[in-house]
Amino acid sequence: MDTLLHPPPQTSSSSTSMAKRPCSSSSQNPRLPFHFSQMDHLLHSFLSFPDSSLPISLDLSFDRLLDCSPSDADQALLIDRAHNLGCLLLRAANRSARKRASLHNSVAWVLPPDLTIKVFSMLDSQSLCYAAATCSMFHKCAMDPFCYANIDLTTVVPKVNNAVVSTMIQRAGKSLRSLKLGIVPGTTGSPGSSQPLVYTIRNSVDVSNFSWNDKRIRQGKESSILTRTCLYPLSGDNGATGTLLRRLHLYNIERMDNASLCVALAACPSLLDLEIVGLHVELRQTLMSVSSNCHFIERLFFESSKTGGDESLKSPTCFELVNNCPNLSSLSLRGFKLHDCKVRILVKGFRKLKYVDFSTSYSITGTFLRNLGNGSGGDLLEVLILRDCMHLREMEVARFLTAVFEGDFKFLKHLDISNREGLASEGDWYQRSYNSSFIPLKQVSEVRPDVCLLAEFPSEGCFLDIDHMIDSDINSELSLPFQQSDHTYDGTMLTSSLDSNYNSDQGSGNEEYQDSGFVIYEESSDEVDFLV
């Protein structure tokens, strides 16, 4: 022990002979090879102490060494040296333990490295990180870019920062195929539900019971918040990283802006699936960027961060999107202020469209449903969701279902016209309808039992918050001529009241173009900036 803490000097011959003395122990320890060094023998002797007497022997030996030290400085130096040697010994023991565990795992783990990488590629991102921390063999397999082809860093509360995203994307390199980022609320609705996925850091926790010190601590966690530069790594390596990206889902990244999102989309020309929820970005600019860069896109899901607050979409943008992205089969624009004329451009223009969701869209009346089907667009529709569209009119829904009853929209499987405020009446949308007696739901269900019809309305005469709904620009609504209805269903009477011709657009007042020439008229609504 003394020799470990006080290395023998190499100047005198007597000290040299003393240094060689432990070598004679090799004859007493035949297990040690002859070529072992002095340090090997010292370490072996040290580790050979019996466990029962080792703590007492160490304490006594160390105290004697301290007592022999001539000054406080020497004693402090001796203590520091003991600490360093203990740390070095502990580090060597841990390293050897990991090496032995890795060797054991390589023998016990039955899968070869290529299949191990395949298994790891099926794990979610968090489980992959756990596996990588298990042993060096798993760590080596988990570093393969193929394991990071599908990165999912979505969380319920802010936990991920830009550095984590950058590291993951760099590990994936050109193998990156899917990227999901942001905060997803813990309870989400079922598929087809209009429950918003929008989340803000401000409403994520009840801070009323927090002290100022707690709030300062939370402010210090800003490093766990994604910023507008979190997608910059997609443009790295001269844009090669995002070239083959197929899926991009972004949820409630409050600091994302239009410019940063457009830069990211420009780096993803092979994008097939884009989902944007709760970002403070403008609908028009986002669709323009998609139209310019993502020509192969098949699914577009966009939910506004503020219901009814973005009416920036223009008809030319709709035409460009239709012409540049012909493969789009699923379109969801939720919570935006969309007019029927623009919606019709999209629904009729995308010939492969099968899934449509305009839930909580503020200005849709339903007139866009006219003149669909029979080869004029919308023939392949399988899912149509118009839940909680405040201006959706009862008469337009009845017209559409009559067309379904008469044999149009043969591929339709799911229709949702539920509204927590009831449907708007034909003459005055302030007058709400709380029952579906005028709508031929039962008749359609009998003729088309394969169609799932959802028509959930509040009870008759429930309270309607008109002040909340009046925020919409009523003057921009283009209404149909008033038609009186008795809210009773009779097959002959309904067909008569709908003029027996669903494919007529006369008097709709919602057209900005003629089907023959697609002439675009100047829109009255001004363009507004949505960024806060």
Side-chain angles (χ1 to χ4, degrees):
M1 175 60 67
D2 300 347
T3 310
L4 283 173
L5 296 177
H6 291 289
Q10 303 295 326
T11 55
S12 63
S13 59
S14 60
S15 62
T16 304
S17 62
M18 289 296 294
K20 293 181 179 180
R21 186 173 300 170
C23 294
S24 62
S25 64
S26 61
S27 61
Q28 302 173 1
N29 299 288
R31 292 176 298 174
L32 298 180
F34 178 77
H35 63 274
F36 265 32
S37 66
Q38 178 185 2
M39 179 60 70
D40 300 335
H41 288 283
L42 288 174
L43 187 58
H44 178 268
S45 301
F46 177 70
L47 297 177
S48 298
F49 280 110
D51 294 338
S52 59
S53 62
L54 183 58
I56 299 177
S57 300
L58 283 176
D59 290 342
L60 294 176
S61 298
F62 196 72
D63 288 341
R64 284 195 295 267
L65 289 175
L66 287 177
D67 293 339
C68 295
S69 299
S71 63
D72 290 342
D74 292 336
Q75 291 180 358
L77 183 62
L78 189 63
I79 293 175
D80 290 341
R81 183 168 178 80
H83 281 149
N84 293 335
L85 288 175
C87 292
L88 291 175
L89 187 59
L90 178 62
R91 188 182 307 169
N94 290 337
R95 183 174 60 252
S96 298
R98 289 194 300 267
K99 185 185 297 185
R100 282 173 51 83
S102 179
L103 179 61
H104 170 77
N105 290 341
S106 62
V107 176
W109 184 254
V110 296
L111 297 181
D114 57 335
L115 290 182
T116 302
I117 293 173
K118 178 67 174 179
V119 172
F120 284 178
S121 68
M122 299 177 182
L123 299 177
D124 60 88
S125 299
Q126 186 174 11
S127 299
L128 178 62
C129 293
Y130 288 152
T134 304
C135 65
S136 58
M137 184 193 73
F138 278 10
H139 181 271
K140 182 177 180 181
C141 293
M143 289 300 104
D144 191 280
F146 186 63
C147 297
Y148 298 88
N150 301 296
I151 300 176
D152 185 353
L153 296 176
T154 55
T155 57
V156 178
V157 295
K159 291 183 179 180
V160 178
N161 57 20
N162 292 5
V164 174
V165 177
S166 178
T167 299
M168 291 286 190
I169 293 178
Q170 289 176 5
R171 289 179 180 178
K174 298 179 181 179
S175 299
L176 185 62
R177 296 295 181 272
S178 174
L179 178 61
K180 298 180 181 180
L181 299 177
I183 306 171
V184 180
T187 55
T188 58
S190 58
S193 170
S194 66
Q195 180 178 353
L197 300 176
V198 175
Y199 168 103
T200 61
I201 296 175
R202 289 183 294 274
N203 64 15
S204 61
V205 221
D206 181 10
V207 297
S208 58
N209 296 326
F210 276 28
S211 67
W212 281 108
N213 290 332
D214 293 332
K215 293 179 181 179
R216 291 194 193 99
I217 294 174
R218 286 188 55 80
Q219 290 172 358
K221 294 183 179 180
E222 290 288 316
S223 58
S224 297
I225 299 177
L226 295 173
T227 67
R228 61 189 181 91
T229 62
C230 65
L231 296 178
Y232 281 7
L234 292 176
S235 304
D237 195 12
N238 295 324
T241 304
T243 301
L244 299 179
L245 185 66
R246 300 288 190 269
R247 181 185 296 112
L248 179 62
H249 291 185
L250 305 174
Y251 302 98
N252 303 298
I253 305 176
E254 290 194 343
R255 300 183 180 181
M256 181 67 66
D257 56 19
N258 284 309
S260 299
L261 180 61
C262 292
V263 170
L265 293 178
C268 306
S270 303
L271 202 62
L272 301 178
D273 181 357
L274 176 62
E275 185 164 331
I276 301 174
V277 175
L279 271 62
H280 297 313
V281 293
E282 191 182 59
L283 175 61
R284 180 182 61 86
Q285 292 193 20
T286 302
L287 294 187
M288 288 176 60
S289 182
V290 171
S291 174
S292 301
N293 302 291
C294 308
H295 302 305
F296 303 103
I297 192 167
E298 298 177 356
R299 177 180 179 268
L300 176 60
F301 184 103
F302 197 172
E303 181 172 336
S304 174
S305 61
K306 183 179 180 182
T307 302
D310 186 349
E311 56 175 340
S312 61
L313 185 62
K314 303 298 181 183
S315 293
T317 305
C318 297
F319 283 117
E320 291 178 4
L321 186 67
V322 167
N323 294 330
N324 295 334
C325 304
N327 297 323
L328 195 71
S329 61
S330 176
L331 177 63
S332 300
L333 300 176
R334 298 173 31 157
F336 295 99
K337 192 172 183 180
L338 302 174
H339 298 284
D340 289 81
C341 52
K342 301 162 189 174
V343 172
R344 178 174 297 192
I345 296 174
L346 298 173
V347 176
K348 295 186 67 173
F350 291 117
R351 297 296 178 176
K352 298 181 180 181
L353 198 59
K354 297 180 180 180
Y355 185 103
V356 171
D357 182 2
F358 296 127
S359 298
T360 65
S361 294
Y362 219 66
S363 298
I364 289 180
T365 64
T367 57
F368 78 93
L369 295 170
R370 299 183 178 191
N371 214 15
L372 294 181
N374 292 328
S376 60
D379 300 87
L380 300 181
L381 276 181
E382 297 179 4
V383 177
L384 177 59
I385 303 176
L386 300 174
R387 177 180 283 261
D388 292 330
C389 293
M390 290 298 107
H391 293 74
L392 184 62
R393 292 173 180 164
E394 181 184 34
M395 182 65 70
E396 299 301 336
V397 173
R399 283 188 173 126
F400 178 77
L401 285 176
T402 301
V404 176
F405 177 80
E406 293 176 350
D408 287 347
F409 306 100
K410 298 183 182 299
F411 296 98
L412 188 65
K413 301 296 182 184
H414 182 96
L415 175 64
D416 189 352
I417 55 170
S418 304
N419 201 307
R420 64 179 181 270
E421 303 292 357
L423 296 177
S425 299
E426 183 65 15
D428 185 1
W429 74 274
Y430 286 96
Q431 182 180 354
R432 314 299 293 184
S433 173
Y434 302 103
N435 62 74
S436 57
S437 59
F438 187 66
I439 304 174
L441 294 173
K442 181 178 180 180
Q443 288 70 21
V444 172
S445 298
E446 292 175 353
V447 176
R448 297 283 301 276
D450 58 320
V451 179
C452 175
L453 298 177
L454 297 181
E456 301 170 355
F457 305 105
S459 58
E460 183 78 23
C462 74
F463 175 73
L464 180 64
D465 189 359
I466 296 296
D467 292 335
H468 173 72
M469 298 173 64
I470 203 171
D471 290 339
S472 173
D473 186 6
I474 307 302
N475 294 329
S476 65
E477 280 294 300
L478 304 176
S479 60
L480 291 173
F482 175 76
Q483 295 182 1
Q484 183 71 29
S485 66
D486 56 2
H487 293 270
T488 59
Y489 176 76
D490 178 81
T492 306
M493 184 180 298
L494 175 63
T495 306
S496 173
S497 66
L498 300 182
D499 297 328
S500 303
N501 185 8
Y502 181 71
N503 295 327
S504 173
D505 281 339
Q506 295 179 359
S508 67
N510 281 297
E511 300 306 316
E512 284 190 349
Y513 63 91
Q514 300 295 328
D515 289 340
S516 58
F518 286 90
V519 179
I520 303 174
Y521 291 87
E522 184 178 357
E523 299 178 35
S524 59
S525 59
D526 296 331
E527 187 171 291
V528 295
D529 291 332
F530 184 54
L531 292 178
V532 178

